[in-house]
Amino acid sequence: DSGVTQTPKHLITATGQRVTLRCSPRSGDLSVYWYQQSLDQGLQFLIQYYNGEERAKGNILERFSAQQFPDLHSELNLSSLELGDSALYFCASSKTSGGVSGELFFGEGSRLTVL
Amino acid sequence: GIQVEQSPPDLILQEGANSTLRCNFSDSVNNLQWFHQNPWGQLINLFYIPSGTKQNGRLSATTVATERYSLLYISSSQTTDSGVYFCAVLSNFGNEKLTFGTGTRLTIIP
């Protein structure tokens, strides 16, 4: 158990819908990262938050948004879902950010299926 | 951005065999991690090893930062070692994200 909690573990929805994925970081970790892994693909970085503020952005679609709340949990919102959004979405956390981020720990992922 | 290449892309071994997985990266790094993604999709931390050598049971890893590569050794393979092994790095040059390689898919045959 990495200490990073993601919910829901599985989600099936239809095209055009909106979903919210939730992540609770490890105790004491201030940074949260979101990654997307499509079928048989590598892990693509979406976005990072540190202590409530956005710190880095990857190739995140405009239909996707995220935030980190004062209690440090984070949510990733995916809207106007398309078939191609079906993927495993991972959250990771670390104590700090950037060059001295230290080790990242990943949650078990949220598997999204868009039908 | 930093490029991360892993080799071989696929590896099929008999149970009990040893293996070496390689990760090459294009810039200096201050974070390098090895992960195992099991068949259920879980990403398991194996090593945090920006430099030097570490061992954990049958697994060990070495990173030679000056030559921009890292090696993961698996000895006496077991079927539970099957899955995809990812190397991920964080560049020294201000990029916040951990960049993943494309992985090595390891299959251990009983």
Side-chain angles (χ1 to χ4, degrees):
Chain A
D1 183 1
S2 67
V4 179
T5 303
Q6 288 189 249
T7 56
K9 285 187 170 42
H10 300 275
L11 191 55
I12 302 174
T13 188
T15 54
Q17 295 298 304
R18 172 190 169 95
V19 299
T20 297
L21 310 180
R22 182 187 170 103
C23 170
S24 293
R26 294 191 322 153
S27 177
D29 284 0
L30 298 179
S31 273
V32 169
Y33 309 75
W34 287 97
Y35 282 79
Q36 178 193 54
Q37 185 179 34
S38 301
L39 189 63
D40 288 334
Q41 297 293 311
L43 282 94
Q44 302 298 317
F45 171 73
L46 295 178
I47 198 163
Q48 180 212 353
Y49 283 84
Y50 174 75
N51 204 19
E53 295 187 2
E54 181 183 306
R55 290 297 297 265
K57 213 167 186 175
N59 294 325
I60 186 168
L61 299 172
E62 285 192 9
R63 300 184 287 107
F64 296 0
S65 65
Q67 55 183 325
Q68 186 180 27
F69 294 86
D71 67 352
L72 302 177
H73 90 272
S74 178
E75 293 181 356
L76 178 66
N77 300 297
L78 315 175
S79 62
S80 302
L81 286 167
E82 302 175 0
L83 297 178
D85 297 327
S86 296
L88 193 51
Y89 291 85
F90 285 103
C91 170
S93 74
S94 68
K95 288 200 180 307
T96 56
S97 178
V100 288
S101 65
E103 192 168 1
L104 268 70
F105 291 87
F106 281 76
E108 293 189 353
S110 292
R111 188 175 297 278
L112 172 66
T113 302
V114 182
L115 300 176
Chain B
I2 191 167
Q3 303 299 312
V4 184
E5 294 182 357
Q6 291 186 243
S7 60
D10 293 280
L11 192 55
I12 301 174
L13 298 171
Q14 290 269 268
E15 201 168 19
N18 302 328
S19 58
T20 300
L21 282 58
R22 187 176 180 102
C23 171
N24 292 333
F25 43 94
S26 59
D27 283 319
S28 57
V29 299
N30 51 37
N31 180 350
L32 188 147
Q33 292 185 237
W34 283 96
F35 297 91
H36 173 215
Q37 187 167 36
N38 64 23
W40 295 269
Q42 293 175 312
L43 274 173
I44 311 298
N45 285 42
L46 297 178
F47 294 101
Y48 170 68
I49 186 167
S51 64
T53 297
K54 290 186 177 179
Q55 179 153 8
N56 184 4
R58 296 181 296 103
L59 275 61
S60 63
T62 295
T63 297
V64 183
T66 53
E67 297 187 21
R68 299 181 183 171
Y69 73 88
S70 182
L71 301 174
L72 177 68
Y73 305 97
I74 304 174
S75 64
S76 304
S77 298
Q78 301 175 357
T79 56
T80 52
D81 295 331
S82 295
V84 182
Y85 289 80
F86 288 105
C87 164
V89 303
L90 183 67
S91 169
N92 273 341
F93 299 102
N95 191 326
E96 305 278 355
K97 67 176 183 177
L98 196 67
T99 299
F100 280 75
T102 51
T104 292
R105 183 175 298 275
L106 177 64
T107 303
I108 305 299
I109 301 170

